[in-house]
């Protein structure tokens, strides 16, 4: 009888341990496993093209062995060497199997940088490539006239041109007066998320001398978030400042329209 009771107790304890193990797997297992696998972007651009050529940029986005077809944002930034502040942003079109493409027409000779900005599954990556156009030695500055850039946006989203630190400010849509607005920026260094940085937003209305500062919290590696309520309608400057203890000191500026 005692043996039977002892066997029963052991059996119950075994079942309890197994149940705890199952619950732990549910909490720490496959449901979160995908979040631990980084999203990668494989950028493909030609190394050399002729002036006037229309080029197709291609990026395959993956997470582990899975092709990512639900990226929240994939767009290409193009600029001539030495002219980062005049960069162009081009929206991509999604094809199949995680492939995102865009077309761009190079109308001037020179050395160009092409960088794809990928935001997918709450992660961000920004690989970059170089394209030599026509007579690279002559170089020259790119002009807007005559360019054929479908879905093009002008961009000023990043830091100093030759720096390895890149700042990608997620410009909010439909900003309303007196409504708390979430401000998000991604920061990378050498194509890797830059963590433990001091990131602040400096905000002021166009034409005003009053500047306000918003501190941020790092929600995930390289992603910094703050909130701000705009008191009046109009155009506002939002300057992102990034610093850390290793000597990084970068900034970039955007304009936000408040309605």
């Amino acid at each position: 009888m005692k043996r039977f009771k002892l066997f029963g107790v052991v059996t119950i304890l075994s079942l309890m341990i197994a149940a705890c193990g199952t619950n732990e797997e549910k909490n720490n297992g496959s449901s979160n496993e995908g979040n631990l696998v980084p999203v990668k972007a494989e950028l493909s651009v030609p190394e050399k093209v002729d002036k006037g050529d229309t080029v197709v940029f291609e990026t395959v986005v993956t997470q582990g062995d899975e092709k990512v077809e639900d990226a929240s944002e994939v767009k290409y930034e193009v600029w001539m060497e030495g002219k980062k502040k005049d960069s162009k942003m081009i929206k991509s079109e999604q094809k199949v199997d995680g492939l995102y493409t865009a077309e761009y027409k190079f109308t001037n000779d020179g050395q160009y940088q092409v960088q794809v900005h990928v935001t997918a599954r709450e992660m961000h990556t920004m690989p970059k490539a170089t394209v030599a156009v026509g007579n690279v030695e002559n170089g020259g500055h790119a002009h807007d006239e005559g360019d054929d850039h479908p879905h093009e946006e002008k961009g000023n989203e990043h830091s100093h041109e030759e720096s390895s630190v890149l700042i990608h400010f997620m410009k909010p849509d439909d900003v309303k007066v007196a409504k708390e607005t979430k401000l998000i920026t991604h920061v990378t260094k050498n194509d890797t998320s830059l963590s433990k940085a001091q990131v602040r937003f400096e905000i002021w209305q166009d034409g005003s001398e009053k500047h306000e500062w918003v501190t941020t919290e790092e929600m995930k590696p390289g992603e910094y978030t703050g909130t701000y309520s705009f008191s009046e309608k109009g155009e506002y400057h939002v300057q992102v400042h990034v610093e850390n203890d290793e000597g990084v000191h970068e900034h970039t500026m955007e304009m936000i329209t408040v309605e």
Side-chain angles (χ1 to χ4, degrees):
M1 187 69 176
K2 290 182 179 179
R3 280 185 193 173
F4 177 76
K5 287 183 178 179
L6 180 60
F7 175 76
V9 171
V10 171
T11 303
I12 292 171
L13 288 173
S14 299
L15 291 173
M16 290 175 64
I17 293 171
C20 291
T22 302
N23 289 335
E24 187 174 349
E25 285 179 8
K26 287 181 179 178
N27 292 332
N28 300 319
S30 59
S31 61
N32 293 326
E33 185 176 354
N35 294 332
L36 302 178
V37 180
V39 167
K40 295 184 179 180
E42 183 178 345
L43 172 63
S44 297
V45 300
E47 293 183 0
K48 184 171 176 58
V49 300
D50 293 328
K51 183 175 72 172
D53 283 354
T54 297
V55 175
V56 177
F57 303 142
E58 296 183 343
T59 299
V60 176
V61 183
T62 58
Q63 186 179 38
D65 295 330
E66 179 188 358
K67 300 293 179 63
V68 175
E69 297 184 351
D70 58 352
S72 54
E73 180 183 69
V74 178
K75 57 185 179 181
Y76 294 87
E77 184 177 17
V78 184
W79 70 93
M80 182 182 284
E81 289 282 5
K83 300 292 290 180
K84 179 71 159 62
K85 64 181 180 179
D86 297 326
S87 66
K88 303 289 192 300
M89 282 287 184
I90 309 163
K91 293 180 180 179
S92 70
E93 294 183 1
Q94 183 178 354
K95 301 300 183 180
V96 294
D97 295 330
L99 176 64
Y100 298 81
T101 68
E103 291 186 354
Y104 186 88
K105 184 176 181 179
F106 291 97
T107 57
N108 294 277
D109 294 327
Q111 194 91 347
Y112 286 79
Q113 297 294 323
V114 178
Q115 186 165 38
V116 63
H117 300 272
V118 178
T119 303
R121 301 177 181 179
E122 299 186 340
M123 286 178 270
H124 194 68
T125 184
M126 300 183 293
K128 185 171 63 173
T130 302
V131 180
V133 179
N135 187 350
V136 178
E137 291 183 356
N138 287 343
H141 300 305
H143 299 284
D144 292 335
E145 293 81 11
D147 287 358
D148 181 16
H149 306 150
H151 311 296
E152 180 182 298
E153 303 171 357
K154 287 192 176 182
N156 184 25
E157 300 181 336
H158 304 282
S159 62
H160 299 152
E161 172 182 339
E162 301 302 329
S163 172
S164 60
V165 176
L166 296 174
I167 305 170
H168 182 202
F169 177 63
M170 308 291 287
K171 190 172 180 178
D173 297 323
D174 194 26
V175 182
K176 301 294 186 182
V177 171
K179 182 179 179 181
E180 192 173 79
T181 301
K182 183 180 289 188
L183 304 175
I184 302 173
T185 191
H186 294 97
V187 185
T188 64
K189 183 177 181 180
N190 298 324
D191 297 329
T192 302
S193 297
L194 181 64
S195 292
K196 300 179 180 179
Q198 294 83 50
V199 179
R200 298 183 298 164
F201 297 106
E202 181 184 7
I203 302 173
W204 69 96
Q205 192 168 15
D206 197 24
S208 173
E209 295 183 358
K210 181 182 178 181
H211 292 218
E212 296 190 75
W213 293 83
V214 176
T215 57
T216 67
E217 181 180 354
E218 187 174 10
M219 307 305 293
K220 56 177 70 72
E223 180 183 291
Y224 299 85
T225 301
T227 57
Y228 184 78
S229 294
F230 295 88
S231 58
E232 299 179 13
K233 293 183 179 180
E235 297 290 326
Y236 284 79
H237 299 264
V238 178
Q239 186 154 277
V240 186
H241 296 262
V242 178
E243 301 178 61
N244 72 2
D245 296 335
E246 298 177 355
V248 170
H249 189 175
E250 300 290 338
H251 65 268
T252 187
M253 190 169 68
E254 267 286 358
M255 296 294 295
I256 289 180
T257 301
V258 179
E259 300 177 350

